[in-house]
Amino acid sequence: MGAGPAGLLLGRLLHLAGIDSVIVEHRSRDYVQKRVRAGLLEQGTVELLREAGVAHRLDQLAAVHTGFELRFAEESVRIPFADLSGRSVWMYGQAEVVKDLIAAREGVAELHFDARDVVVDEAGGERPVLRYSLDGERVELRCDIVVGCDGYHGVTRSRMPGLRTYEHAYPFAWLGILVEAPPIAKELIYACHERGFSLYSMRSPTVSRLYLQVDPTDTLDQWPDDRVWAELHTRLGTDLGYGLNEGPILERGITSMRSFVAEPMSRGNVFLAGDAAHIVPPTAAKGLNLAVSDVRVLAEALADWFTTGDRKALDGYSERCLRRVWRAEEFSDWMTGLLHRFPDERNMQFRFREARLRYLAGSEAAMSSFSENYVGSAVA
């Protein structure tokens, strides 16, 4: 269920293992391929995409990052996470990953867009049933396995009884813009400012991606171009001598920030992967990478089961994934708290944050621990 990165990559890995699958997506192909989402891929994610044979464009187009710039209190420090952890990250948009995976599946295995009235029945049984309408015809699939890769609002999790959920909403949101302008730096810039957080990112040599912390009740009408650029100049510290290339804003949107985990990530022969099971705030860019980690574990477990009949790895899927999920959730929450200004925050709390940032920037031990978590090599 779901033709995002998790569902498409799982389908690809199963195909390479000789296991048939059907991917069902309720959105259109055009919508799925144009969704602007995360652009930071951990090294483990890139390695798996290469193993799956879908990294040809990634290797040609992606930029490899070995550090990022951290700005606070009119200071600028580079965090050289590759030197400290031995691992890099790649900048390559989620939409591009999706295009690569769709291209690899076309003409090879079933992929259905625009499915309607999707229902998962008998989710706790041995042969779950998937029902949906496609081109006006009702389809029923009696499945060995159903995997919900259909996101936070998908139908699969709602049909799984007895799940325990944990959720936290943050008192701010991100305003993101996609700009037709060359990036001003080769690496990301994270900025902690008394007016709020901002992030400078990039999508290509000609397109930049920028974010501003805003109130969660704000609307796009409250943020005309002039206000967006003025706030970016202020928070990114461009008055300290850093340039900022302005250009036409191609896309914009406001994203709420929350943490969410559902456990266990399976019931009977129905499994959850990616955003259907867990959501992280975007500060540490863990969402897509956690989904890929889930898929790697699940694909290996399914291959064992279909090949040998042994369910040990399949039954241990949830426990194994959740160790990484909770590590990433905690780090994402910590990094979010470190860089954002909270409503009604006392001045002393903001100075505490500056002290934490100075410790991170000045201690090799602290920077090494941060880097290990940031690149995804730290697992509880």
Side-chain angles (χ1 to χ4, degrees), residues 69-91:
E69 185 178 350
L70 178 62
R71 296 181 182 179
F72 64 96
E74 299 187 357
E75 298 180 21
S76 177
V77 178
R78 184 175 184 268
I79 307 294
F81 55 74
D83 291 342
L84 295 165
S85 69
R87 298 172 76 85
S88 302
V89 300
W90 279 249
M91 295 304 299

Side-chain angles (χ1 to χ4, degrees), residues 1 22 48 51 55 114 117 127 139 149 184 216 243 255 269 296 336 338 344:
M1 285 297 304
V22 178
L48 184 58
E51 292 172 18
D114 297 304
D117 305 319
R127 295 296 302 274
V139 179
C149 304
I184 62 171
T255 303
N269 282 346
R296 181 194 288 272
T336 299
L338 181 69
D344 303 321

Side-chain angles (χ1 to χ4, degrees), residues 86-211:
R87 298 172 76 85
S88 302
V89 300
W90 279 249
M91 295 304 299
Y92 189 66
Q94 176 175 312
E96 302 308 313
V97 174
V98 167
K99 291 174 187 175
D100 296 339
L101 288 165
I102 289 176
R105 191 170 180 90
E106 278 189 308
V108 174
E110 290 186 75
L111 171 56
H112 302 308
F113 292 101
D114 297 304
R116 297 287 181 264
D117 305 319
V118 182
V119 176
V120 180
D121 282 338
E122 302 176 39
E126 293 184 1
R127 295 296 302 274
V129 178
L130 182 62
R131 297 185 177 90
Y132 57 97
S133 296
L134 190 67
D135 298 327
E137 299 291 330
R138 197 64 181 161
V139 179
E140 179 176 303
L141 299 178
R142 189 164 293 274
C143 311
D144 293 311
I145 296 286
V146 169
V147 183
C149 304
D150 47 351
Y152 178 78
H153 298 290
V155 301
T156 309
R157 190 180 69 247
S158 67
R159 303 294 295 177
M160 298 173 66
L163 299 187
R164 185 172 184 178
T165 60
Y166 305 82
E167 189 160 12
H168 171 67
Y170 292 86
F172 38 75
W174 274 15
L175 167 64
I177 60 172
L178 196 67
V179 182
E180 188 177 342
I184 62 171
K186 294 182 178 180
E187 297 176 335
L188 303 186
I189 302 171
Y190 289 84
C192 179
H193 192 273
E194 62 182 5
R195 293 180 61 84
F197 169 76
S198 63
L199 170 63
Y200 194 99
S201 181
M202 58 288 296
R203 285 295 180 268
S204 76
T206 59
V207 176
S208 300
R209 180 77 165 155
L210 300 93
Y211 298 92

